[in-house]
Amino acid sequence: MGRFPSFRRFLFFWEQRNHFQNGENKPLISKGDVRNAEAASSVSYLGTQDSSGSQTSSTLSSHEDSTRASSKNIFTSRALSPSSWSNYIFKYLLVTSNLLFTVLGLVTLVVGLWGLINKESFAQEKISGIGTDPMLLFCFLGLVLALLSLMGCVGALRENMCLLQTFSAAVLVLVVLQVLVAVVLYSLQGQIVEYLRSGMLAAMVRYQDDLDLRFITDEIQTGLQCCGADTYRDWEINVYFNCSAPGVQACGVPPSCCIDPLENGTVWNSQCGVGAQQLDEFSAQSVIFLGGCLGSIWRWIEQHSGVIVTAVIIVLGVQILTLFITARLLQSIRWSRAQHDVYLQSLQ
């Protein structure tokens, strides 16, 4: 090897070169450590360089998070609170009651229309007198009740504030009108008797010409066992029962005044009251009812005054309860919408 000094220098130079290249390929810090160091430096850089701005943004973000959390907690507590269950019960109680009254109103409307069609009230020769037909009142009441109840039902089911407010206002008007009518009837008791007398005498005059008035008069006389307004001789105002009338019914009374209007217990005897006005009271009392219907109506009212007052109180109570439920439902809808708006604002 001593003979080849140049060759030894070449080997030494080659070994130093390989060692230098291996040192470059194997760095002192690994890539993973470099990445961790860069991440740490970036975090420390953000923490030191942007500390003034990031504190404000972090405060805002924490405020938004707290607002969202509080909103979620409010909605969660509201969904699980007893008041939400009561509002749910009130809502579907209002829906169910109004649905039942809607069906009742439609039935009343159908009955009124059936009565008008059955009596041929829409015929050309009868259309002029349809305004005084009692069946028209059934149609009107049924239509109003059905529309009003349907409005409350749909409004409660859809939680529509406009429909619920209209329904509540209509029910409030009805309650006020009913209270006013009750006060007027109570304060005008003496005049009511005169109004009833005038109405019944008018019905007796048109007894043979108006089928509706005949039906109502017969039902009153049969049900209350009475005849005429004040006495059975009131029927003389009718042209057919007047003693100067040429027909067979002269000086007679309708068969609904008879004590036993059925012949052999089965067939309606339309001639049972013929000539009753010619009899004295002692003889007539075995054939017809002598007392007038006004006294019988007043006695019936006095005997059933407790039931009448109870029925009026129940009807008004149901309507007032409906107003309370509607007001509670409207308040709940307003509260829910306000909380929903707050929640949407917190998300922006």
Side-chain angles (χ1 to χ4, degrees):
M1 296 295 294
R3 295 179 181 180
F4 303 100
S6 61
F7 181 73
R8 284 198 299 270
R9 284 195 223 97
F10 176 77
L11 289 177
F12 178 77
F13 175 76
W14 185 260
E15 288 178 357
Q16 292 295 330
R17 181 177 180 273
N18 290 335
H19 180 72
F20 179 76
Q21 290 179 353
N22 291 332
E24 287 182 351
N25 293 332
K26 294 180 180 180
L28 295 176
I29 302 175
S30 62
K31 293 182 179 180
D33 295 336
V34 172
R35 292 175 182 175
N36 293 333
E38 290 176 355
S41 63
S42 63
V43 171
S44 62
Y45 174 77
L46 291 174
T48 56
Q49 187 71 18
D50 298 335
S51 60
S52 60
S54 62
Q55 287 179 357
T56 304
S57 61
S58 63
T59 304
L60 293 175
S61 62
S62 63
H63 178 68
E64 290 180 358
D65 294 337
S66 63
T67 305
R68 294 175 185 177
S70 62
S71 301
K72 292 180 180 179
N73 292 331
I74 289 174
F75 282 109
T76 305
S77 62
R78 179 66 178 174
L80 298 178
S81 62
S83 60
S84 63
W85 286 104
S86 62
N87 292 332
Y88 181 85
I89 293 174
F90 285 155
K91 173 182 177 179
Y92 285 97
L93 181 62
L94 187 62
V95 170
T96 305
S97 61
N98 280 293
L99 186 61
L100 293 177
F101 280 108
T102 302
V103 174
L104 180 61
L106 292 176
V107 171
T108 306
L109 177 62
V110 170
V111 170
L113 292 175
W114 173 82
L116 292 175
I117 295 173
N118 190 43
K119 295 186 301 179
E120 299 180 354
S121 299
F122 296 106
Q124 186 175 0
E125 61 274 8
K126 296 182 179 181
I127 194 67
S128 59
I130 194 174
T132 58
D133 198 316
M135 290 300 173
L136 195 63
L137 181 61
F138 280 88
C139 295
F140 176 75
L141 292 178
L143 182 62
V144 171
L145 180 60
L147 291 178
L148 184 60
S149 302
L150 187 62
M151 183 189 303
C153 181
V154 175
L157 190 63
R158 301 288 297 176
E159 294 187 357
N160 189 305
M161 294 185 63
C162 181
L163 290 178
L164 287 176
Q165 289 173 350
T166 306
F167 170 75
S168 179
V171 174
L172 181 60
V173 170
L174 289 177
V175 170
V176 173
L177 289 177
Q178 292 172 19
V179 172
L180 290 177
V181 169
V183 172
V184 170
L185 291 177
Y186 182 78
S187 60
L188 300 178
Q189 295 182 15
Q191 299 181 14
I192 290 174
V193 176
E194 296 299 325
Y195 293 148
L196 289 176
R197 179 179 287 106
S198 301
M200 189 159 189
L201 290 175
M204 291 169 63
V205 171
R206 300 176 56 190
Y207 178 80
Q208 300 287 1
D209 303 324
D210 195 319
L211 296 179
D212 295 318
L213 293 178
R214 180 193 299 182
F215 173 78
I216 294 173
T217 304
D218 288 339
E219 288 296 318
I220 292 175
Q221 293 187 148
T222 303
L224 298 178
Q225 296 182 353
C226 57
C227 186
D230 296 306
T231 177
Y232 67 98
R233 297 188 185 276
D234 290 337
W235 279 102
E236 191 175 356
I237 65 174
N238 187 281
V239 295
Y240 297 96
F241 296 112
N242 190 280
C243 291
S244 61
V248 68
Q249 295 179 337
C251 275
V253 293
S256 58
C257 289
C258 298
I259 296 176
D260 187 13
L262 299 179
E263 186 176 356
N264 299 325
T266 55
V267 181
W268 182 267
N269 184 10
S270 60
Q271 303 296 323
C272 64
V274 173
Q277 295 185 46
Q278 295 176 343
L279 301 175
D280 55 53
E281 293 185 358
F282 181 78
S283 302
Q285 66 180 353
S286 60
V287 181
I288 62 173
F289 301 112
L290 301 181
C293 293
L294 290 178
S296 299
I297 292 174
W298 196 254
R299 285 192 297 270
W300 184 89
I301 293 175
E302 290 179 349
Q303 292 175 359
H304 299 84
S305 59
V307 178
I308 295 173
V309 172
T310 303
V312 171
I313 292 175
I314 290 175
V315 172
L316 289 177
V318 170
Q319 295 174 358
I320 293 173
L321 181 62
T322 302
L323 286 175
F324 170 76
I325 294 175
T326 307
R328 180 67 179 271
L329 187 58
L330 284 171
Q331 182 181 4
S332 176
I333 294 173
R334 291 192 188 97
W335 189 92
S336 299
R337 291 184 179 181
Q339 294 300 319
H340 183 67
D341 294 338
V342 172
Y343 178 71
L344 291 179
Q345 291 176 2
S346 68
L347 296 178
Q348 295 178 355

